[in-house]
């Protein structure tokens, strides 16, 4: 709860200590720091609320607000709980999403089942064609606006990723941090609006752990920037070699998810048939 104001005056003495500002700063253990650590902020826009207020000896403890949840042990942002149309199996908790019941179909009404199946099949076909048409339009637009389109068409990755401009970066933060040096991370978050006091706070909270500093700097930037446009801002600011690695990582993940979704849709279509 204090910080060192002055060194010991003699060999048997103790340093002069000054209390941290209540509700603003803290230190959790005995120390020789010449500063107090700043209390964390629970961002309501990201579904967080204060569970325990910051004191001189303990940092703020955040939790998910009502109707929000987070799967991780420590959450920088919480996701809204889903709502169920056909009943709840398990209610949403701060650490798990709502589990919903499936819609029951009438076994004595086969005609109703047909009426339900046909729109689903049509929706799957329409959605797939719409995605294909959208990708083709974006590719054609990109070719018209790039002088080196014929050469660059051999690597369509930028066009494909443009379809996912608002990628949720939260699950990639740690991997992205591993690709960057600490100076690169600092330069990026500084150019994208992070203030020096916040950067110093993160450094002071993890003085011997540069890997954690990188993760917390990127996570704090993403938390305050928000999902919209964050991926585009990151890619444009990174060195080319790192940007390509991040693009490749995200593209593989998106492709894998799309393949799983198509596989699941195919299985559902075959089951209904």
């Amino acid at each position: 709860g204090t910080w060192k104001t002055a060194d010991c005056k003699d060999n048997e003495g103790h340093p002069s200590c000054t209390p941290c500002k209540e509700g603003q700063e803290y230190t959790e253990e005995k120390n020789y720091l010449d500063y107090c650590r700043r209390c964390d902020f629970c961002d309501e826009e990201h579904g967080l609320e204060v569970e325990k207020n910051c004191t001189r000896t303990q940092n703020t403890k955040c939790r998910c607000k009502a109707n929000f949840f987070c799967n991780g042990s420590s959450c920088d942002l919480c996701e809204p709980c889903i709502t169920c149309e056909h009943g709840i199996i398990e209610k949403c908790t701060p650490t798990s999403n709502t589990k919903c019941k499936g819609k029951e179909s009438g076994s004595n009404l086969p005609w109703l089942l047909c009426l339900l199946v046909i729109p689903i099949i049509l929706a799957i076909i329409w959605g797939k064609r719409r995605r294909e048409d959208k990708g083709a339009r974006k590719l054609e637009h990109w070719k018209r606006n790039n002088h080196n389109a014929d050469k660059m068409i051999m690597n369509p990755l930028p066009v494909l990723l443009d379809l996912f401009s608002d990628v949720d970066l939260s699950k990639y933060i740690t991997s992205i941090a591993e690709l960057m040096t600490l100076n690169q991370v600092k330069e990026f978050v500084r150019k994208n609006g992070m203030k020096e006091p916040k950067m110093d706070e993160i450094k002071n909270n993890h003085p011997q752990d540069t890997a954690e500093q990188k993760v917390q700097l990127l996570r704090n930037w993403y938390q305050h920037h928000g999902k919209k446009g964050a991926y585009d801002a990151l890619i444009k600011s990174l060195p080319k070699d790192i940007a390509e690695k991040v693009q490749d990582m995200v593209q593989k993940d998106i492709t894998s998810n799309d393949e799983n979704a198509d596989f699941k849709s195919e299985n559902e279509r075959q089951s209904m048939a």
Side-chain angles (χ1 to χ4, degrees), residues 9-251:
K9 295 181 179 179
D10 55 65
N11 293 334
E12 300 299 325
H14 298 281
S16 298
C17 298
T18 298
C20 301
K21 295 178 182 178
E22 183 68 37
Q24 300 180 34
E25 302 173 335
Y26 75 100
T27 53
E28 293 180 322
E29 55 191 20
K30 292 182 179 180
N31 65 86
Y32 290 93
L33 300 173
D34 55 2
Y35 57 85
C36 290
R37 292 173 176 166
R38 297 188 63 180
C39 300
D40 283 346
F41 168 70
C42 302
D43 192 343
E44 292 186 4
E45 292 186 1
H46 287 84
L48 296 167
E49 67 179 6
V50 175
E51 181 176 355
K52 289 184 179 180
N53 288 319
C54 186
T55 67
R56 290 193 181 102
T57 59
Q58 179 179 285
N59 192 12
T60 312
K61 186 175 181 181
C62 302
R63 66 184 176 194
C64 293
K65 297 192 299 185
N67 299 319
F68 285 80
F69 79 100
C70 179
N71 289 322
S73 57
S74 61
C75 294
D76 294 310
L77 60 90
C78 300
E79 300 289 340
C81 303
I82 61 172
T83 56
C84 300
E85 295 183 10
H86 310 294
I88 298 174
I89 297 176
E90 291 184 13
K91 292 182 178 180
C92 185
T93 71
T95 57
S96 63
N97 199 0
T98 314
K99 292 184 179 179
C100 301
K101 292 181 180 179
K103 186 175 181 180
E104 298 180 357
S105 57
S107 58
N108 297 323
L109 298 174
W111 58 271
L112 180 60
L113 179 60
C114 292
L115 292 176
L116 293 173
V117 169
I118 293 173
I120 292 174
I121 295 175
L122 292 176
I124 292 172
I125 296 173
W126 178 80
K128 187 172 183 180
R129 288 182 177 177
R130 187 167 179 266
R131 289 195 301 271
E132 292 172 351
D133 291 343
K134 184 177 180 181
R137 288 196 302 270
K138 284 186 173 287
L139 180 57
E140 184 62 30
H141 175 76
W142 173 74
K143 287 171 66 178
R144 288 198 303 267
N145 289 277
N146 284 275
H147 299 296
N148 297 320
D150 291 336
K151 181 179 179 180
M152 295 174 67
I153 197 64
M154 299 302 295
N155 181 19
L157 186 57
V159 181
L160 295 174
L161 290 177
D162 185 45
L163 299 175
F164 303 92
S165 57
D166 288 334
V167 174
D168 183 0
L169 293 178
S170 57
K171 62 180 179 179
Y172 303 111
I173 291 293
T174 301
S175 298
I176 294 171
E178 291 175 354
L179 297 174
M180 302 172 68
T181 65
L182 181 58
N183 286 337
Q184 287 173 330
V185 173
K186 286 181 177 180
E187 181 180 0
F188 167 73
V189 298
R190 188 180 289 115
K191 286 183 178 179
N192 285 272
M194 186 176 292
K195 304 300 182 183
E196 293 296 332
K198 185 61 182 179
M199 295 174 64
D200 290 338
E201 177 188 343
I202 292 174
K203 176 182 177 182
N204 294 335
N205 286 344
H206 309 281
Q208 304 299 326
D209 192 347
T210 56
E212 186 62 18
Q213 287 182 39
K214 292 190 293 182
V215 170
Q216 293 303 324
L217 285 167
L218 290 172
R219 188 166 287 161
N220 187 268
W221 161 76
Y222 183 59
Q223 179 179 346
H224 288 85
H225 185 285
K227 179 180 177 181
K228 187 172 181 61
Y231 175 75
D232 186 56
L234 178 68
I235 293 301
K236 288 181 178 179
S237 300
L238 291 176
K240 182 180 178 181
D241 58 331
I242 297 178
E244 289 176 349
K245 290 179 181 178
V246 173
Q247 287 177 323
D248 185 58
M249 173 173 57
V250 175
Q251 169 64 17

